[in-house]
Structure formats: structure tokens, C-alpha cells
Amino acid sequence: PLSSTPSHSVTHTAAHSTYPYWNAKSDTGYCGLSNQGATCYLNSLLQTLYMTPEFRSALYNWSFESFCRDSFQELRTKQQDEKSSNEKELSENDNNQNNAITDDLEEKYQLYKLRKEETCIPRQLQKLFLKLNTSDKRSCDT
């Protein structure tokens, strides 16, 4: 019961109802990063990069789509070069397989792009900076 709770103690739920703006964006208009356990040093670096206009502008102008298309094409070219060096002549069967590969190339590209997005640091920074820029909260999770 609430009556047995000491008057100086405020429960988490009570803090939310007593102070409705406890998690609202600060008066400065900026959103911080939540410390998720010894991440303060990394958070300060990320916030410094975010607050550097030249870096932020370059990151926003960087195209993930172009990066993926270029790197996917490089990978395909490398695979084709390796295949060509291993085989001097293509049989009729190989030609049919090449046509099938071309037919589902876009599907393979979409899978490649999906996997690449998870590990692409500039893309993840774009997403984080977008959160920092548009969040109504006091802090965002990384």
C-alpha cells in the first residue's frame, strides 16, 4: 500500500504520473543518448560527431543505396572473374544457369542490402542521428 511507503520515496510509476515531462526533450532542443552500462565514453564521441555540422552533413548526404549497388556490383564482378578464370569454356548448361542467376539478381541484391544494413556503420549512424534529430524524448537508446 502507498500509505506504508516513506514520504521521501517515489516509485517509478509515481514519478511518471507526478512529473509528466520527466522524459521530455530538454529545453535546449537536443536529445541525448541513454547510458546502457559503461557506454558514456562512446556516447560522448557519438554526440560530438552529431554536433559537428560538417560531419553530420556529409553523413546525411552519403547514400546507402549507392553504396550497396556499388559494393554488390563489385562482388558480382569478382565472382564472375573467379568463375571465368576457373573455366575456359562455358557449356550449354552453364549458360542456362547464368540466365537463371540474372533473373533473380534483384532478389539477391535485396537480401544483400538487408544483411549489409545491419553491419554498415555509416547507415547505423544515419539512423541514430535521425533519432537524435527527431525524438521528443530526453534521450534515445543506441
Side-chain angles (χ1 to χ4, degrees), residues 85-100:
S85 67
N86 291 336
E87 300 176 359
K88 293 187 179 186
E89 293 181 12
L90 294 173
S91 68
E92 185 64 34
N93 187 30
D94 287 338
N95 286 333
N96 290 338
Q97 287 177 352
N98 285 339
N99 290 338

Side-chain angles (χ1 to χ4, degrees), residues 68-127:
C68 284
R69 288 270 178 210
D70 292 347
S71 59
F72 184 72
Q73 185 58 42
E74 271 182 41
L75 181 62
R76 295 261 313 135
T77 302
K78 183 179 176 184
Q79 288 173 343
Q80 288 170 348
D81 289 347
E82 288 173 359
K83 187 174 183 178
S84 295
S85 67
N86 291 336
E87 300 176 359
K88 293 187 179 186
E89 293 181 12
L90 294 173
S91 68
E92 185 64 34
N93 187 30
D94 287 338
N95 286 333
N96 290 338
Q97 287 177 352
N98 285 339
N99 290 338
I101 288 171
T102 304
D103 291 342
D104 70 350
L105 190 57
E106 186 62 27
E107 183 180 329
K108 286 183 178 187
Y109 169 71
Q110 293 302 327
L111 289 171
Y112 173 83
K113 186 170 123 176
L114 187 63
R115 285 192 305 258
K116 199 71 167 169
E117 185 170 18
E118 296 171 357
T119 60
C120 182
I121 292 171
R123 181 62 173 162
Q124 294 304 316
L125 280 175
Q126 282 180 332
K127 289 178 163 185

Side-chain angles (χ1 to χ4, degrees), residues 26-95:
S26 80
D27 294 337
T28 65
Y30 293 111
C31 176
L33 293 170
S34 302
N35 187 356
Q36 297 177 355
T39 61
C40 54
Y41 292 109
L42 180 58
N43 286 354
S44 66
L45 172 64
L46 292 171
Q47 288 171 327
T48 300
L49 292 173
Y50 176 76
M51 293 303 295
T52 306
E54 298 85 359
F55 183 85
R56 193 171 60 234
S57 177
L59 187 67
Y60 284 159
N61 288 321
W62 177 80
S63 171
F64 177 67
E65 185 67 33
S66 295
F67 168 75
C68 284
R69 288 270 178 210
D70 292 347
S71 59
F72 184 72
Q73 185 58 42
E74 271 182 41
L75 181 62
R76 295 261 313 135
T77 302
K78 183 179 176 184
Q79 288 173 343
Q80 288 170 348
D81 289 347
E82 288 173 359
K83 187 174 183 178
S84 295
S85 67
N86 291 336
E87 300 176 359
K88 293 187 179 186
E89 293 181 12
L90 294 173
S91 68
E92 185 64 34
N93 187 30
D94 287 338
N95 286 333

Side-chain angles (χ1 to χ4, degrees), residues 3 11 21-22 29 41 50 58-59 69 97 111 129 131 133:
S3 59
T11 63
Y21 304 108
W22 72 274
Y41 292 109
Y50 176 76
L59 187 67
R69 288 270 178 210
Q97 287 177 352
L111 289 171
F129 284 15
K131 273 200 244 179
N133 200 35

